[in-house]
Structures are given as C-alpha cells and as structure tokens.
Amino acid sequence: METRKVAFYTLGCKLNFSETSAIGRQFEEHGFEKVAFEDAADIYVINTCSVTDHADRKCRKVVKEALKHNPEAFVTVVGCYAQLKPQEIASIPGVHAVLGAAEKFQLVETLAGFRKPEAGSPGRVYASPISAATEFHAAHSFGDRTRTFLKVQDGCDYSCSFCTIPLARGNSRSDSVQSVVERVQKLAETGVKEIVLTGVNLGDFGLQGPERERKENFYDLVQALDEVEGIERFRISSCEPNLLSDEIIRFVARSKRFMPHFHIPLQSGSNKILGLMRRRYRRELYVERVRLIKEVMPHACIGVDVIVGFPGETEADFLETYAFLNELDVSYLHVFPYSERENTLAPTLPGRVQDRHRHERTTQLRSLSEKKKRHFYEQQIGLATAVLFEDDVTNGQMEGFTPNYIRVTAKYDPLLVGELKRLRLTAVNPQNLMEAEELGIEVFQH
C-alpha cells in the first residue's frame, strides 16, 4: 500500500508552529509521509490564527493553493480561527473537515480514513465548546527551524477587551516543571542548541490539572531550565509586564543559559487606552520593567507589541504613545492596527478610529521601530559575542543571532549551520543587518 502524504501550512504565532510540528509527528507515527506544501500531498492541514487580519481571506487562499497542488486532496483546518468560526470555515469550498481546540490533537484518530463529505456538502465540523479544552497538550517544533519552539503553557484567564484568544484557546493551563525539564533533556540529546519558550500567557505558567491549581510558577521553570545541560540558549518568547517580575529579570541577568532578550507587550503608551483595553498594568510599571532590564543588562534587547487605532484613541492619545516609545530604551516594535473582533468588548466602545488614521499611525510607529532597531544595532558595534547561525540561505548569505537577538549576516558556510561562532560586530549594512568579523581576522563582511 502506498504511503499517504501530508503537508502543513501554519498561520500566526510561534505557539502555532510548535503545535503544527507536534501534529505532524503524530501523522508520521501513524505511517504518513510529511512533505512540502507544494508536493501534491494527499492530506493538507491548515493551522489558523485569529489574531492577524483577514483570517477568512487567508484561509480561503491557502485552501485554494492546496487544491491547485492536488485537486483530490483532503483538506482540514485547525487552530484559533477554526474554534471561533467552525461553520464558516466548513462552508469554504474545498474544506473537508474543521477541528476545534479540544479536538486538534486527536486529528488522525478523529478523521480515521479521511473520507470526504458528499459532493456539494460542507466540511464536517468537530468543535466542542471552548470549555472542553481543559487538557494541556505538549508541543514543540523540530526539524522545521534551527531554533525549537517549546510550548509550556496554553490558554489565558485575562479578559483584554480586544482579544479573542481566551475564546479560541480556553483557560490558562500549563505543563509541569518536571515534564518540561524532561522534554528539554530529550531535545538536548538531538543536538538542539536554542529553545524558545512559548505560550499564550507565558508568565502565568503553573496552573495544572483538572482543578487548575497553581502548583508552580514561571520563575520556578526558568530556574530549573537553567540547570539543564546540553542546551546553549533559552529565550522567553513574550511575557506580560505585570508577570515579568524583578526576580525573573535579575535571574536572567546572571543566568548561564537565558538570553538577554525580552519581548514585553505594551499595546498603548496611554493609561487611558490601557484602561479601555482592560490591561492589568499602567505605563509606569512598564517603565520600571525596562529600567531594571537595562540596569542589570545594558546590552539587552527589548521588543514591544503596540496596537494603534483602538476605539477612543484620539490623535493626542496616539502622540502620547509615540512620545512614550520614542523616549523608552527599547530595541524594536511590533505594530498592529486595531482590528475589530466579534464577541469582544472593544467594538462596542465609542470613538471608532477611521481606517486611514489606523494605517497612518501604524506607518509612523513602524518607522520609529526601524530607527530604534538601527540605533540599538549601532550601539553594539565593536562588541565581541557569540552568533548561532541558522540554515536559511539567501543569495549566498546565511544569518544568525547574537544572545541579544541581533541578526548577523555572513557568507554561507555549511560548517557554520547550527553552530555558535565567536565574532566581533563591525557594521550595520543598508539592509539593517549586522556584519561581523572573526576575532582578529575579517571573514564575514560582504
């Protein structure tokens, strides 16, 4: 019997990439061959996101592309958008099955023979209410990228007025410290050098079991992982400012393995807007977090998430955010124009911001981000550091990252893939990439 082929496409965050990879391994354990998207697979699995704009349009486009590669393929859709709008997705031409948050990790067993619905019928829906998503399912990416994304937490108990994630992923729940350590030890045996810890609300790590008891916390996890031999680097993917405690920051500063790189969501530099967003902090706390990080780790990289055009955001509120970020010692911004989401409070708030103003404000902050990133890079010139090179090669150049997340470009050398190399940072090129030289011998400028 010929081996059936399965291909995947992932939209959204690092957490989605880790879960796609885990589902892919389940298929392989059941005898399927995992292939590239364009390789005419028998089965296509599309892992969707509800955070990015135009989820419906993106899903339709990927389905259409899959059927171009194999018109007879079986197409199934999972992920956050699948939980929120299962019937809508099932009605997309070419979609044969939709699985919700509680079902996606039983995809192979649920769909069994992957039999298509009758011609003209909508796709089958397997999506329980989000209250059924109570188990924590471990996941990590492997073989897809040089860095491994390791899921340690899922779901969220917060109720930010713009966010659908609690509706798409359920309540906060976590793995245990012991289980994570054991998984990391196994990854170390495979030669993985860098692990990125991922979750929906990573700093809320520790709620476990059917009763969701808080048995441990994120600080316990960080301390335990720092002792695991064989992993060179850990990164914290994103952590809410109210959960990124002083003790975690000070521990990372003296850590053997945790990198001086933080991604801390801000969303707005206006306390008025933060209140409307139902965020659990105000700008003064954010300033304190940045101040402490830079005090104990002067070269640390700090990334910031920002939403512009939120309902009620006046031009003065936006300028307050711009001025706040301009003065803040951060390294780059991830800027998103506000986008209405069904079943959230935000669209009911007064003061809708016109789309053109949202896009103008997005452009302004993205320009500020480029300036901040270049300034941060220029501050590092002359620094001797270690670069971990990745396996992506473009036009004869490869790239790698320093501990503080500076992207370094180098002439491709197969011996450098997945290796740590001691270099001195020398210049920022027109593409905003750092150039480097081997200590004492220039080899990496181009």
Side-chain angles (χ1 to χ4, degrees), residues 406-423:
I406 290 173
R407 190 184 291 268
V408 177
T409 183
K411 185 178 178 182
Y412 172 62
D413 180 347
L415 293 178
L416 287 180
V417 174
E419 296 296 325
L420 281 162
K421 183 75 172 178
R422 291 283 298 175
L423 302 171

Side-chain angles (χ1 to χ4, degrees), residues 174-244:
S174 308
D175 208 344
S176 68
V177 169
Q178 181 180 345
S179 174
V180 175
V181 167
E182 289 171 355
R183 289 162 59 200
V184 167
Q185 289 170 336
K186 289 178 182 176
L187 285 169
E189 292 171 3
T190 69
V192 167
K193 287 189 169 63
E194 179 171 311
I195 290 176
V196 182
L197 302 180
T198 66
V200 174
N201 190 352
L202 192 57
D204 197 36
F205 175 91
L207 294 169
Q208 298 164 22
E211 304 303 318
R212 298 198 310 128
E213 294 178 69
R214 185 169 294 284
K215 301 178 180 178
E216 299 163 318
N217 60 39
F218 189 51
Y219 184 48
D220 297 329
L221 178 65
V222 168
Q223 291 181 97
L225 291 179
D226 204 49
E227 298 301 321
V228 178
E229 298 290 338
I231 300 296
E232 300 280 352
R233 295 177 168 184
F234 288 101
R235 293 189 193 273
I236 300 169
S237 63
S238 180
C239 191
E240 295 284 303
N242 54 301
L243 296 174
L244 184 62

Side-chain angles (χ1 to χ4, degrees), residues 5 40 49 75 82 115 122 132 172 242 259 273 275 281 302 329 361:
K5 298 177 181 178
C49 174
V75 177
R115 290 178 290 275
S172 180
N242 54 301
M259 297 295 99
I273 300 300
Y281 55 87
I302 303 175
D329 192 5
R361 294 171 189 180

